Amino acid sequence: MFDIGMQELIVVFIVILLVFGPKRAPELGRALGKALAELKKSFQDVKKQVETEFKESTSDIQEARKSFEDLRKKVEEGVKETVGINALQQPVKDIIEETDEAEEEEEEEEEEEKEEEEEEEEKEKEAKEKEEEVKKEEQAKEGKEDKEIQPGGDQKKEGLNDRT
């Protein structure tokens, strides 16, 4: 509080003794001690009073916050009931579910159609391959028959081609 050292205290006591005398100095010291004790006690009382007021105001603020939250919830519920959101929520959910189910069914049908088309395309490819094999076999048979019918026909053709 005060920056008073030991030497300053001794000087102050000597001055008090000289001014008030040795008989009144102890009385003055007691009075000063009582005054300081009362001052300290009053500061502590003020401190306690401020702390209790602070705690009370804090609790009041918390109560006000709770009542505000309750009021906000009641207002929200009232608005929802007034607008009828609660009444509309279930039918909307049902519609959404039905729509989702219908979309899933459509997707499944499209996938099945794609699979069927792919199978048909594969069958067509296989049929074309078989037809081509049959044609190649027929051509191969015809080519053998031609060679058998005209033996040495290749030689004649080669000779004709050489002349021209």
Side-chain angles (χ1 to χ4, degrees):
M1 202 157 110
F2 298 107
D3 196 19
I4 300 174
M6 190 58 117
Q7 293 175 351
E8 289 90 3
L9 279 177
I10 292 172
V11 171
V12 170
F13 286 128
I14 292 173
V15 171
I16 290 175
L17 278 173
L18 291 175
V19 172
F20 294 107
K23 290 183 180 177
R24 289 190 66 202
E27 291 175 16
L28 188 61
R30 279 187 221 118
L32 185 63
K34 285 181 182 179
L36 288 174
E38 285 182 28
L39 185 64
K40 187 175 180 181
K41 186 177 178 183
S42 66
F43 278 130
Q44 288 177 350
D45 289 342
V46 169
K47 183 179 175 183
K48 286 180 183 178
Q49 189 175 11
V50 167
E51 286 176 355
T52 56
E53 289 293 325
F54 181 74
K55 287 179 182 177
E56 287 176 4
S57 65
T58 304
S59 65
D60 290 342
I61 290 171
Q62 289 175 350
E63 289 176 12
R65 181 179 289 158
K66 287 180 183 178
S67 64
F68 177 74
E69 288 295 322
D70 292 340
L71 181 63
R72 184 181 61 86
K73 288 179 183 178
K74 288 179 181 178
V75 168
E76 285 178 356
E77 289 174 2
V79 168
K80 285 180 181 179
E81 289 177 6
T82 302
V83 175
I85 290 175
N86 290 335
L88 295 175
Q89 282 180 346
Q90 189 60 36
V92 170
K93 287 180 182 177
D94 292 342
I95 292 170
I96 290 171
E97 288 176 3
E98 290 174 4
T99 305
D100 290 342
E101 290 174 1
E103 288 177 357
E104 288 176 3
E105 289 176 2
E106 287 177 7
E107 289 175 1
E108 289 175 1
E109 289 175 2
E110 289 176 3
E111 289 178 12
E112 289 176 1
E113 289 176 3
K114 286 181 182 178
E115 289 175 2
E116 289 175 1
E117 288 176 4
E118 290 175 359
E119 289 177 4
E120 288 178 11
E121 288 176 3
E122 288 179 19
K123 288 179 182 178
E124 289 176 5
K125 286 181 183 178
E126 289 176 3
K128 286 181 182 178
E129 289 175 1
K130 286 182 181 178
E131 286 179 18
E132 288 177 7
E133 288 178 11
V134 170
K135 285 181 182 179
K136 287 181 183 178
E137 288 177 5
E138 288 177 1
Q139 288 175 355
K141 286 181 183 178
E142 287 177 8
K144 286 182 182 178
E145 289 176 3
D146 288 341
K147 287 182 182 177
E148 290 176 4
I149 293 175
Q150 299 175 0
D154 292 335
Q155 294 172 354
K156 289 181 183 176
K157 287 180 184 176
E158 286 178 10
L160 289 175
N161 289 337
D162 288 340
R163 290 183 193 163
T164 53

